[in-house]
Amino acid sequence: MSAAGLGARLLQGVKVEGLNEFLQTLRSGYEAQVTQCSRTEAKYIGQSTIDRVLNAFVRLEPHHPQSTFTLATASVATSEQHRAGRSNQTPVLELVGTSPCSGKKQLLYYLIIRLLLPLEHGNINLRGRGSAVVLLDLGNTFSLLRLKRIMMGYVYSCVGNASRPLSIEVINALVRASFEHLHVFRPHSLLSLLATLSHLQSYLFDTSSHVSANRALGAIVVNDADAFLWQARLEDAEDEISMSSSAQKPGLLANRFRELVAQLRILQSSFSCLVIATSSALSSLTYVRIDGLHVPILQSHMPSAWKAFVTARFVVQRETVRKFQYGMSVEEAAREAQQRQEAVEKSAFSARLDWSESEAWREDTRNAIKTMGVNTDVNFKVTSESVHCNIDD
């Protein structure tokens, strides 16, 4: 075949298209990659309901799935991310209790346990994340003894289904080893909290100061995130009184919470870790119908910078037990007292996704949450020995 004939034959297989068609093809390929990436859901905690909700809010970048950097390699990864001009998007989960003993602290214990425990131990499937956790206990209400008891109960429940159970010595050693990766800080003021956060990165990067070098940082937990709110508001009010009308400046409360959010974002960018916070509600919980769903609405009293920072907020409450009937005699109440106490002890708790900020949700997030419906609820029971969730996978 001559060179001219070969060239003519090759030209027959060439498809000619304009720039618009080329860009459309390129865009379709990119969207297909995004879709394929989004189908691979990240496991932030291991509790399937919460993970599904968080995945609905967070859009992972193509080719950049959920990071699993250990603390020993996170500093190198962080510098590479800054050079590439990108950061991993990681969510912020807030648990809001509607009343005292709402169960938010018990659910928090459970989530921390899932983060600390390894995936498996021996032949026992523990379904843990095997990560490190930083706990900022602002209200000094976090009980390490309660956390240990719930962890022991959780491990025992996993061991009960195994063909070769672990001995008590092995379980105790497992719990002790997991506790070594819980780093507890108890700042005493908002300024103390900001100072702690500013030094936290250097502490975690200094792998000689802790034993978590070979673990990823699973979460930064802010227990009682509203603990210093009223102290800051008082300082704000005193500052307003002392200021002259011509010397107006932004409030200390707003500035400090913006700085708090900025510090947490820096840490999230460095370690690709989840932030879990707890707080208490002041307003009453209401239910409204949105998009055909009966959903909870809870107005947050936190500063606007914090509300914008939170990805998903769950309202935690205890199922109500029927009260004594009106007009009941003392004798009848005494007869029912034991039954009522048993009913209270057996009553379950629930954590439901708050829809108060739903107008700001992306359309794909809103559609995903609507598709889940009531499957966004986390139901759990609390006993003296453990916390049992509706779905433990």
Side-chain angles (χ1 to χ4, degrees):
M1 181 181 293
S2 65
L6 178 61
R9 183 177 179 183
L10 291 174
L11 283 173
Q12 290 177 356
V14 175
K15 181 181 177 181
V16 180
E17 63 180 15
L19 180 61
N20 290 338
E21 289 83 0
F22 173 73
L23 292 176
Q24 180 62 35
T25 303
L26 192 63
R27 180 181 179 183
S28 299
Y30 174 80
E31 290 177 346
Q33 289 178 337
V34 172
T35 303
Q36 183 178 6
C37 180
S38 63
R39 287 173 183 166
T40 307
E41 293 190 343
K43 276 196 172 184
Y44 295 104
I45 300 173
Q47 207 289 328
S48 61
T49 303
I50 294 178
D51 282 345
R52 280 200 307 268
V53 170
L54 294 179
N55 275 286
F57 282 93
V58 176
R59 181 186 292 140
L60 293 177
E61 296 179 8
H63 311 301
H64 301 294
Q66 184 187 18
S67 301
T68 55
F69 301 125
T70 64
L71 295 181
T73 60
S75 58
V76 177
T78 300
S79 60
E80 290 178 351
Q81 284 182 5
H82 288 317
R83 284 197 299 269
R86 69 172 189 273
S87 61
N88 290 306
Q89 187 182 12
T90 45
V92 179
L93 170 67
E94 185 176 19
L95 307 176
V96 183
T98 57
S99 62
C101 303
S102 62
K104 74 175 187 297
K105 194 71 59 63
Q106 306 303 315
L107 181 58
L108 179 64
Y109 291 141
Y110 174 83
L111 299 182
I112 291 176
I113 286 168
R114 295 294 297 268
L115 288 165
L116 288 175
L117 285 172
L119 177 64
E120 57 185 20
H121 190 79
N123 65 324
I124 309 299
N125 182 15
L126 298 174
R127 304 183 296 275
R129 300 291 297 154
S131 58
V133 173
V134 168
L135 170 64
L136 300 162
D137 186 16
L138 309 191
N140 200 17
T141 60
F142 193 94
S143 172
L144 295 175
L145 291 177
R146 176 62 178 162
L147 179 68
K148 179 183 178 182
R149 174 169 288 189
I150 295 176
M151 184 180 287
M152 293 284 289
Y154 177 83
V155 173
Y156 274 120
S157 67
C158 296
V159 169
N161 300 323
S163 56
R164 290 186 299 169
L166 302 177
S167 65
I168 183 62
E169 292 79 12
V170 172
I171 293 177
N172 284 330
L174 171 63
V175 171
R176 282 196 302 271
S178 299
F179 260 67
E180 290 181 348
H181 301 285
L182 177 63
H183 306 271
V184 182
F185 300 87
R186 289 193 166 98
H188 53 80
S189 66
L190 194 50
L191 288 177
S192 174
L193 171 61
L194 294 174
T196 301
L197 291 174
S198 67
H199 291 89
L200 188 57
Q201 184 167 300
S202 59
Y203 163 76
L204 293 173
F205 282 159
D206 182 12
T207 53
S208 63
S209 61
H210 54 77
V211 297
S212 301
N214 294 323
R215 287 195 174 201
L217 181 60
I220 298 173
V221 177
V222 185
N223 183 44
D224 298 329
D226 53 348
F228 305 138
L229 181 64
W230 305 113
Q231 177 186 348
R233 284 187 171 171
L234 175 61
E235 293 173 357
D236 235 7
E238 292 175 344
D239 193 56
E240 277 186 26
I241 293 172
S242 62
M243 279 193 316
S244 64
S245 58
S246 60
Q248 295 295 327
K249 60 180 180 180
L252 291 174
L253 175 66
N255 285 339
R256 287 176 181 173
F257 265 87
R258 276 195 290 267
E259 187 177 350
L260 169 62
V261 168
Q263 292 274 15
L264 289 172
R265 287 193 191 279
I266 290 172
L267 291 168
Q268 280 193 297
S269 177
S270 298
F271 299 102
S272 299
C273 63
L274 181 70
V275 169
I276 306 175
T278 66
S279 62
S280 300
L282 294 181
S283 59
S284 58
L285 180 67
T286 58
Y287 285 85
V288 298
R289 188 162 291 277
I290 301 178
D291 295 337
L293 299 174
H294 193 58
V295 296
I297 297 290
L298 184 66
Q299 298 302 323
S300 175
H301 62 283
M302 297 291 283
S304 57
W306 179 265
K307 289 190 286 187
F309 177 55
V310 173
T311 306
R313 181 181 296 107
F314 278 83
V315 181
V316 188
Q317 60 183 348
R318 187 171 193 164
E319 292 181 1
T320 56
V321 177
R322 182 178 58 85
K323 298 180 180 180
F324 287 121
Q325 294 181 355
Y326 179 75
M328 179 182 292
S329 66
V330 175
E331 291 78 11
E332 291 172 330
R335 285 196 298 269
E336 288 191 12
Q338 182 63 31
Q339 296 176 344
R340 281 183 52 78
Q341 183 60 34
E342 292 176 358
V344 169
E345 291 175 356
K346 293 179 180 179
S347 64
F349 298 79
S350 66
R352 302 193 66 190
L353 180 65
D354 176 28
W355 280 63
S356 59
E357 304 292 330
S358 59
E359 292 184 0
W361 294 352
R362 298 192 317 265
E363 184 178 356
D364 59 331
T365 297
R366 196 182 187 93
N367 291 335
I369 296 299
K370 283 170 57 180
T371 302
M372 294 182 207
V374 295
N375 292 327
T376 60
D377 297 353
V378 179
N379 300 312
F380 60 100
K381 290 189 175 182
V382 178
T383 67
S384 60
E385 301 297 328
S386 190
V387 173
H388 305 277
C389 271
N390 55 342
I391 299 178
D392 281 330
D393 59 351

